[in-house]
PDB file of all heavy atoms in Angstrom:
ATOM      1  N   PRO A 104      46.518  64.414  49.951  1.00 91.00           N
ATOM      2  CA  PRO A 104      46.634  63.473  48.760  1.00 91.00           C
ATOM      3  C   PRO A 104      47.984  62.795  48.833  1.00 91.00           C
ATOM      4  O   PRO A 104      48.981  63.291  49.331  1.00 91.00           O
ATOM      5  CB  PRO A 104      46.659  64.422  47.620  1.00 91.00           C
ATOM      6  CG  PRO A 104      46.002  65.727  48.103  1.00 91.00           C
ATOM      7  CD  PRO A 104      46.395  65.811  49.507  1.00 91.00           C
ATOM      8  N   ASP A 105      47.920  61.526  48.418  1.00 90.00           N
ATOM      9  CA  ASP A 105      49.188  60.637  48.337  1.00 90.00           C
ATOM     10  C   ASP A 105      49.663  60.809  46.919  1.00 90.00           C
ATOM     11  O   ASP A 105      49.208  60.118  45.963  1.00 90.00           O
ATOM     12  CB  ASP A 105      48.836  59.207  48.607  1.00 90.00           C
ATOM     13  CG  ASP A 105      50.076  58.320  48.638  1.00 90.00           C
ATOM     14  OD1 ASP A 105      51.170  58.836  48.269  1.00 90.00           O
ATOM     15  OD2 ASP A 105      50.033  57.127  49.081  1.00 90.00           O
ATOM     16  N   PHE A 106      50.597  61.720  46.668  1.00 88.00           N
ATOM     17  CA  PHE A 106      51.075  61.982  45.343  1.00 88.00           C
ATOM     18  C   PHE A 106      51.901  60.866  44.742  1.00 88.00           C
ATOM     19  O   PHE A 106      52.117  60.822  43.461  1.00 88.00           O
ATOM     20  CB  PHE A 106      51.861  63.288  45.299  1.00 88.00           C
ATOM     21  CG  PHE A 106      50.990  64.540  45.563  1.00 88.00           C
ATOM     22  CD1 PHE A 106      51.109  65.191  46.792  1.00 88.00           C
ATOM     23  CD2 PHE A 106      50.049  64.959  44.646  1.00 88.00           C
ATOM     24  CE1 PHE A 106      50.295  66.295  47.018  1.00 88.00           C
ATOM     25  CE2 PHE A 106      49.257  66.052  44.898  1.00 88.00           C
ATOM     26  CZ  PHE A 106      49.376  66.752  46.102  1.00 88.00           C
ATOM     27  N   ASP A 107      52.351  59.979  45.519  1.00 86.00           N
ATOM     28  CA  ASP A 107      53.028  58.770  45.005  1.00 86.00           C
ATOM     29  C   ASP A 107      52.060  57.869  44.210  1.00 86.00           C
ATOM     30  O   ASP A 107      52.478  57.182  43.230  1.00 86.00           O
ATOM     31  CB  ASP A 107      53.705  57.970  46.094  1.00 86.00           C
ATOM     32  CG  ASP A 107      54.923  58.718  46.709  1.00 86.00           C
ATOM     33  OD1 ASP A 107      55.464  59.583  45.996  1.00 86.00           O
ATOM     34  OD2 ASP A 107      55.255  58.406  47.891  1.00 86.00           O
ATOM     35  N   ARG A 108      50.793  57.952  44.618  1.00 85.00           N
ATOM     36  CA  ARG A 108      49.830  57.039  43.923  1.00 85.00           C
ATOM     37  C   ARG A 108      48.748  57.866  43.235  1.00 85.00           C
ATOM     38  O   ARG A 108      47.913  57.297  42.539  1.00 85.00           O
ATOM     39  CB  ARG A 108      49.018  56.230  45.025  1.00 85.00           C
ATOM     40  CG  ARG A 108      49.872  55.014  45.516  1.00 85.00           C
ATOM     41  CD  ARG A 108      48.967  54.264  46.501  1.00 85.00           C
ATOM     42  NE  ARG A 108      49.573  53.035  46.998  1.00 85.00           N
ATOM     43  CZ  ARG A 108      49.402  51.821  46.433  1.00 85.00           C
ATOM     44  NH1 ARG A 108      48.643  51.755  45.364  1.00 85.00           N
ATOM     45  NH2 ARG A 108      49.993  50.792  46.917  1.00 85.00           N
ATOM     46  N   TRP A 109      48.814  59.192  43.309  1.00 84.00           N
ATOM     47  CA  TRP A 109      47.727  60.021  42.856  1.00 84.00           C
ATOM     48  C   TRP A 109      47.530  59.944  41.324  1.00 84.00           C
ATOM     49  O   TRP A 109      48.508  60.007  40.530  1.00 84.00           O
ATOM     50  CB  TRP A 109      48.005  61.504  43.269  1.00 84.00           C
ATOM     51  CG  TRP A 109      46.755  62.332  43.035  1.00 84.00           C
ATOM     52  CD1 TRP A 109      46.489  63.137  41.945  1.00 84.00           C
ATOM     53  CD2 TRP A 109      45.635  62.396  43.929  1.00 84.00           C
ATOM     54  NE1 TRP A 109      45.233  63.740  42.173  1.00 84.00           N
ATOM     55  CE2 TRP A 109      44.703  63.283  43.321  1.00 84.00           C
ATOM     56  CE3 TRP A 109      45.273  61.816  45.144  1.00 84.00           C
ATOM     57  CZ2 TRP A 109      43.520  63.664  43.886  1.00 84.00           C
ATOM     58  CZ3 TRP A 109      44.139  62.120  45.718  1.00 84.00           C
ATOM     59  CH2 TRP A 109      43.196  63.041  45.106  1.00 84.00           C
ATOM     60  N   MET A 110      46.243  59.885  40.899  1.00 82.00           N
ATOM     61  CA  MET A 110      45.937  59.973  39.518  1.00 82.00           C
ATOM     62  C   MET A 110      44.631  60.780  39.396  1.00 82.00           C
ATOM     63  O   MET A 110      43.748  60.619  40.268  1.00 82.00           O
ATOM     64  CB  MET A 110      45.683  58.570  38.841  1.00 82.00           C
ATOM     65  CG  MET A 110      46.970  57.755  38.589  1.00 82.00           C
ATOM     66  SD  MET A 110      46.493  56.285  37.688  1.00 82.00           S
ATOM     67  CE  MET A 110      48.106  55.551  37.407  1.00 82.00           C
ATOM     68  N   ASP A 111      44.508  61.518  38.360  1.00 78.00           N
ATOM     69  CA  ASP A 111      43.172  62.090  38.121  1.00 78.00           C
ATOM     70  C   ASP A 111      42.309  61.080  37.430  1.00 78.00           C
ATOM     71  O   ASP A 111      42.718  59.984  36.992  1.00 78.00           O
ATOM     72  CB  ASP A 111      43.273  63.381  37.313  1.00 78.00           C
ATOM     73  CG  ASP A 111      43.977  63.243  35.996  1.00 78.00           C
ATOM     74  OD1 ASP A 111      43.847  62.196  35.393  1.00 78.00           O
ATOM     75  OD2 ASP A 111      44.601  64.183  35.488  1.00 78.00           O
ATOM     76  N   GLU A 112      41.065  61.423  37.186  1.00 73.00           N
ATOM     77  CA  GLU A 112      40.027  60.499  36.649  1.00 73.00           C
ATOM     78  C   GLU A 112      40.450  59.940  35.237  1.00 73.00           C
ATOM     79  O   GLU A 112      40.336  58.750  34.961  1.00 73.00           O
ATOM     80  CB  GLU A 112      38.677  61.182  36.596  1.00 73.00           C
ATOM     81  CG  GLU A 112      37.559  60.121  36.171  1.00 73.00           C
ATOM     82  CD  GLU A 112      36.218  60.763  36.248  1.00 73.00           C
ATOM     83  OE1 GLU A 112      36.102  61.967  36.608  1.00 73.00           O
ATOM     84  OE2 GLU A 112      35.232  60.019  35.978  1.00 73.00           O
ATOM     85  N   SER A 113      41.017  60.825  34.402  1.00 75.00           N
ATOM     86  CA  SER A 113      41.320  60.396  33.079  1.00 75.00           C
ATOM     87  C   SER A 113      42.500  59.461  33.100  1.00 75.00           C
ATOM     88  O   SER A 113      42.503  58.438  32.364  1.00 75.00           O
ATOM     89  CB  SER A 113      41.575  61.613  32.170  1.00 75.00           C
ATOM     90  OG  SER A 113      42.728  62.321  32.680  1.00 75.00           O
ATOM     91  N   ASP A 114      43.488  59.730  33.939  1.00 75.00           N
ATOM     92  CA  ASP A 114      44.628  58.832  34.057  1.00 75.00           C
ATOM     93  C   ASP A 114      44.170  57.447  34.581  1.00 75.00           C
ATOM     94  O   ASP A 114      44.707  56.422  34.077  1.00 75.00           O
ATOM     95  CB  ASP A 114      45.665  59.365  35.006  1.00 75.00           C
ATOM     96  CG  ASP A 114      46.390  60.639  34.349  1.00 75.00           C
ATOM     97  OD1 ASP A 114      46.411  60.700  33.135  1.00 75.00           O
ATOM     98  OD2 ASP A 114      46.902  61.497  35.076  1.00 75.00           O
ATOM     99  N   ALA A 115      43.365  57.451  35.571  1.00 72.00           N
ATOM    100  CA  ALA A 115      42.833  56.191  36.146  1.00 72.00           C
ATOM    101  C   ALA A 115      42.092  55.370  35.101  1.00 72.00           C
ATOM    102  O   ALA A 115      42.141  54.201  35.069  1.00 72.00           O
ATOM    103  CB  ALA A 115      41.965  56.514  37.374  1.00 72.00           C
ATOM    104  N   GLU A 116      41.250  56.115  34.302  1.00 74.00           N
ATOM    105  CA  GLU A 116      40.549  55.391  33.226  1.00 74.00           C
ATOM    106  C   GLU A 116      41.478  54.802  32.176  1.00 74.00           C
ATOM    107  O   GLU A 116      41.215  53.670  31.703  1.00 74.00           O
ATOM    108  CB  GLU A 116      39.615  56.367  32.528  1.00 74.00           C
ATOM    109  CG  GLU A 116      38.332  56.738  33.382  1.00 74.00           C
ATOM    110  CD  GLU A 116      37.433  57.762  32.751  1.00 74.00           C
ATOM    111  OE1 GLU A 116      37.861  58.262  31.635  1.00 74.00           O
ATOM    112  OE2 GLU A 116      36.365  58.027  33.235  1.00 74.00           O
ATOM    113  N   MET A 117      42.498  55.517  31.901  1.00 78.00           N
ATOM    114  CA  MET A 117      43.532  54.976  30.933  1.00 78.00           C
ATOM    115  C   MET A 117      44.207  53.713  31.535  1.00 78.00           C
ATOM    116  O   MET A 117      44.394  52.748  30.815  1.00 78.00           O
ATOM    117  CB  MET A 117      44.562  56.021  30.550  1.00 78.00           C
ATOM    118  CG  MET A 117      44.004  57.126  29.747  1.00 78.00           C
ATOM    119  SD  MET A 117      45.243  58.412  29.413  1.00 78.00           S
ATOM    120  CE  MET A 117      46.467  57.476  28.515  1.00 78.00           C
ATOM    121  N   GLU A 118      44.521  53.753  32.792  1.00 76.00           N
ATOM    122  CA  GLU A 118      45.186  52.636  33.547  1.00 76.00           C
ATOM    123  C   GLU A 118      44.212  51.437  33.502  1.00 76.00           C
ATOM    124  O   GLU A 118      44.532  50.314  33.223  1.00 76.00           O
ATOM    125  CB  GLU A 118      45.538  52.950  34.902  1.00 76.00           C
ATOM    126  CG  GLU A 118      46.251  51.848  35.698  1.00 76.00           C
ATOM    127  CD  GLU A 118      46.400  52.205  37.089  1.00 76.00           C
ATOM    128  OE1 GLU A 118      45.342  52.413  37.824  1.00 76.00           O
ATOM    129  OE2 GLU A 118      47.571  52.126  37.545  1.00 76.00           O
ATOM    130  N   LEU A 119      42.953  51.658  33.777  1.00 75.00           N
ATOM    131  CA  LEU A 119      41.887  50.641  33.792  1.00 75.00           C
ATOM    132  C   LEU A 119      41.694  50.061  32.482  1.00 75.00           C
ATOM    133  O   LEU A 119      41.635  48.836  32.340  1.00 75.00           O
ATOM    134  CB  LEU A 119      40.576  51.203  34.338  1.00 75.00           C
ATOM    135  CG  LEU A 119      39.416  50.223  34.536  1.00 75.00           C
ATOM    136  CD1 LEU A 119      39.803  49.213  35.540  1.00 75.00           C
ATOM    137  CD2 LEU A 119      38.186  50.984  34.944  1.00 75.00           C
ATOM    138  N   GLN A 120      41.724  50.912  31.436  1.00 78.00           N
ATOM    139  CA  GLN A 120      41.580  50.367  30.053  1.00 78.00           C
ATOM    140  C   GLN A 120      42.755  49.554  29.613  1.00 78.00           C
ATOM    141  O   GLN A 120      42.580  48.575  28.968  1.00 78.00           O
ATOM    142  CB  GLN A 120      41.365  51.621  29.128  1.00 78.00           C
ATOM    143  CG  GLN A 120      41.121  51.155  27.674  1.00 78.00           C
ATOM    144  CD  GLN A 120      40.892  52.447  26.754  1.00 78.00           C
ATOM    145  OE1 GLN A 120      40.955  53.589  27.222  1.00 78.00           O
ATOM    146  NE2 GLN A 120      40.673  52.204  25.499  1.00 78.00           N
ATOM    147  N   ALA A 121      43.935  50.003  30.017  1.00 79.00           N
ATOM    148  CA  ALA A 121      45.151  49.239  29.661  1.00 79.00           C
ATOM    149  C   ALA A 121      45.074  47.851  30.362  1.00 79.00           C
ATOM    150  O   ALA A 121      45.489  46.787  29.708  1.00 79.00           O
ATOM    151  CB  ALA A 121      46.425  50.005  30.169  1.00 79.00           C
ATOM    152  N   LYS A 122      44.557  47.773  31.627  1.00 78.00           N
ATOM    153  CA  LYS A 122      44.492  46.500  32.237  1.00 78.00           C
ATOM    154  C   LYS A 122      43.510  45.535  31.610  1.00 78.00           C
ATOM    155  O   LYS A 122      43.741  44.396  31.453  1.00 78.00           O
ATOM    156  CB  LYS A 122      44.131  46.628  33.750  1.00 78.00           C
ATOM    157  CG  LYS A 122      45.260  47.231  34.637  1.00 78.00           C
ATOM    158  CD  LYS A 122      44.811  47.385  36.078  1.00 78.00           C
ATOM    159  CE  LYS A 122      45.988  47.900  36.933  1.00 78.00           C
ATOM    160  NZ  LYS A 122      45.541  48.033  38.317  1.00 78.00           N
ATOM    161  N   GLU A 123      42.423  46.196  31.213  1.00 77.00           N
ATOM    162  CA  GLU A 123      41.368  45.340  30.426  1.00 77.00           C
ATOM    163  C   GLU A 123      41.904  44.826  29.157  1.00 77.00           C
ATOM    164  O   GLU A 123      41.630  43.731  28.780  1.00 77.00           O
ATOM    165  CB  GLU A 123      40.128  46.273  30.198  1.00 77.00           C
ATOM    166  CG  GLU A 123      39.341  46.602  31.516  1.00 77.00           C
ATOM    167  CD  GLU A 123      38.719  45.292  32.112  1.00 77.00           C
ATOM    168  OE1 GLU A 123      38.333  44.406  31.300  1.00 77.00           O
ATOM    169  OE2 GLU A 123      38.611  45.278  33.349  1.00 77.00           O
ATOM    170  N   GLU A 124      42.614  45.747  28.387  1.00 78.00           N
ATOM    171  CA  GLU A 124      43.193  45.299  27.134  1.00 78.00           C
ATOM    172  C   GLU A 124      44.205  44.137  27.385  1.00 78.00           C
ATOM    173  O   GLU A 124      44.236  43.201  26.556  1.00 78.00           O
ATOM    174  CB  GLU A 124      43.853  46.454  26.449  1.00 78.00           C
ATOM    175  CG  GLU A 124      42.888  47.474  25.854  1.00 78.00           C
ATOM    176  CD  GLU A 124      43.515  48.658  25.190  1.00 78.00           C
ATOM    177  OE1 GLU A 124      44.773  48.698  25.254  1.00 78.00           O
ATOM    178  OE2 GLU A 124      42.778  49.551  24.617  1.00 78.00           O
ATOM    179  N   GLU A 125      45.027  44.274  28.446  1.00 79.00           N
ATOM    180  CA  GLU A 125      45.978  43.225  28.730  1.00 79.00           C
ATOM    181  C   GLU A 125      45.320  41.945  29.042  1.00 79.00           C
ATOM    182  O   GLU A 125      45.792  40.826  28.609  1.00 79.00           O
ATOM    183  CB  GLU A 125      46.873  43.664  29.888  1.00 79.00           C
ATOM    184  CG  GLU A 125      47.978  42.710  30.213  1.00 79.00           C
ATOM    185  CD  GLU A 125      48.809  43.254  31.384  1.00 79.00           C
ATOM    186  OE1 GLU A 125      48.606  44.349  31.864  1.00 79.00           O
ATOM    187  OE2 GLU A 125      49.678  42.470  31.840  1.00 79.00           O
TER     188      GLU A 125
END
Side-chain angles (χ1 to χ4, degrees):
D105 185 352
F106 291 108
D107 291 336
R108 284 181 174 269
W109 191 264
M110 285 187 179
D111 58 27
E112 185 175 2
S113 59
D114 290 336
E116 286 177 353
M117 289 176 63
E118 181 188 58
L119 185 62
Q120 185 177 357
K122 288 182 179 180
E123 289 294 329
E124 288 178 356
E125 184 180 354

